[in-house]
Amino acid sequence: VLHLAHADALAHYLTRHGPGCVLVPTMGALHAGHAALIRHAANLARDTAAPGGCVVTIFVNPTQFNDPADLARYPRTLDADLQLCEHAGAAAAFSPSVDEVYPRGTAANPPASLPQAATTPGLEDAHRPGHFAGVVQVVARLFELTRPAQAVFGEKDWQQLRVIDQMSARLPSRVRIVPSPTVREPSGLAMSSRNVFLSPPQREQAQALSRALSAAAQQPTVARAEATLRDTLAHAAITPEYAVVRDAATLLPLPPQTPRGSVPARALIAARVGAVRLIDNAPWA
Ligand code: PAF
């Protein structure tokens, strides 16, 4: 994989190949879930003969962390990340500095207005104030720097995926947003860079999130599904920040008696296990 450590190396790469790559934005600390995103993007790049192939960005974006402690301890593993990019089929990996991404400072150019999915659902938007403003800010900037035709995002961050889809629909040069399914450990635990902070007993406790989602998927109504989410988590001594079933596109609440299968819906959970905040979601259909 070609390592583009600076913005001028990326600019040179784009001059050589032209715009239109398939982008995978990441914050590094890459794991098997990212490898699946990169393979997906590399296949798309091959099938569409995308100029520049699959390009991965590795950038821990300070503006999306509402908790400074979370930013400070976020794992940074560049050498291993580059190897994973290589094995998964990326053509280039771009790892800019904060100054290159934000040449006028991190507070300059905040997004003028945020898409609906970033402000109204009362999920991540309510529990991580400022988070989506940072995500929208950095993704818009990464699109500007890398000029992709398509960008692949994981379904694990379902609300982020909806926010970015709505954001990109408003951009002058539209980027096609491609969702990629969540990769799970054999236990069901969704892959996440933050899983490294779970102790063995906490890993076991954390499996309740995916168990709750599977159990809810059997329930006939929104009300019953939400009760099942809460009960399964309570059984594992987990008090969630939210455990809900929502409209899959807008993430707004559905009437409690809505029957399963009548509208595209998604079950979503956020919960702390020890000091680690985990999120997971699955179709409710
Ligand atoms: O999902 C992530 O890793 C980040 O939110 C993203 C999209 C790379 C923006 O920093």
Side-chain angles (χ1 to χ4, degrees):
V1 71
L2 189 63
H3 180 204
L4 309 168
H6 294 290
D8 51 2
L10 173 72
H12 188 249
Y13 186 80
L14 290 176
T15 310
R16 193 144 37 91
H17 295 278
C21 70
V22 182
L23 183 69
V24 184
T26 79
M27 299 204 299
L30 304 183
H31 50 65
H34 294 108
L37 296 183
I38 297 168
R39 278 196 301 274
H40 189 162
N43 288 338
L44 272 176
R46 192 198 52 225
D47 295 349
T48 59
C54 162
V55 175
V56 178
T57 60
I58 298 172
F59 178 65
V60 183
N61 173 36
T63 71
Q64 73 187 73
F65 284 82
N66 49 323
D67 175 1
D70 191 26
L71 172 61
R73 70 169 184 172
Y74 201 82
R76 286 162 171 86
T77 56
L78 184 62
D79 290 342
D81 292 348
L82 293 173
Q83 277 186 29
L84 184 143
C85 289
E86 167 82 35
H87 289 135
F94 174 48
S95 61
S97 66
V98 174
D99 291 346
E100 287 176 311
V101 175
Y102 300 115
R104 287 181 297 281
T106 50
N109 308 15
S113 70
L114 290 176
Q116 168 272 329
T119 56
T120 60
L123 303 176
E124 294 301 290
D125 50 313
H127 290 274
R128 302 186 66 188
H131 171 65
F132 285 128
V135 170
V136 166
Q137 180 189 33
V138 79
V139 172
R141 178 68 180 132
L142 293 172
F143 284 0
E144 185 179 275
L145 286 165
T146 58
R147 291 150 71 205
Q150 311 189 66
V152 178
F153 290 87
E155 289 186 347
K156 177 165 166 289
D157 294 283
W158 184 263
Q159 190 176 0
Q160 167 174 280
L161 180 61
R162 297 303 310 138
V163 168
I164 291 169
D165 199 54
Q166 293 179 357
M167 168 206 124
S168 127
R170 293 173 173 182
L171 291 176
S173 51
R174 190 167 176 172
V175 177
R176 178 172 170 253
I177 305 303
V178 182
S180 200
T182 303
V183 179
R184 296 180 182 281
E185 296 185 358
S187 68
L189 180 66
M191 298 263 184
S192 162
S193 303
R194 292 182 176 88
N195 289 353
V196 297
F197 300 122
L198 295 169
S199 68
Q202 288 170 339
R203 277 185 103 79
E204 199 157 314
Q205 197 187 4
Q207 293 168 18
L209 273 71
S210 62
R211 259 204 321 276
L213 295 169
S214 306
Q218 312 296 319
Q219 297 300 319
T221 62
V222 165
R224 295 269 296 272
E226 290 187 339
T228 299
L229 292 174
R230 286 191 302 269
D231 291 351
T232 312
L233 294 169
H235 200 74
I238 294 176
T239 311
E241 287 182 1
Y242 57 80
V244 292
V245 173
R246 293 294 179 88
D247 180 293
T250 62
L251 292 175
L252 293 176
L254 293 164
Q257 293 316 317
T258 305
R260 178 158 57 89
S262 61
V263 286
R266 204 92 194 165
L268 306 107
I269 298 174
R272 277 182 198 276
V273 172
V276 188
R277 187 174 186 278
L278 299 174
I279 58 171
D280 199 356
N281 71 86
W284 186 68

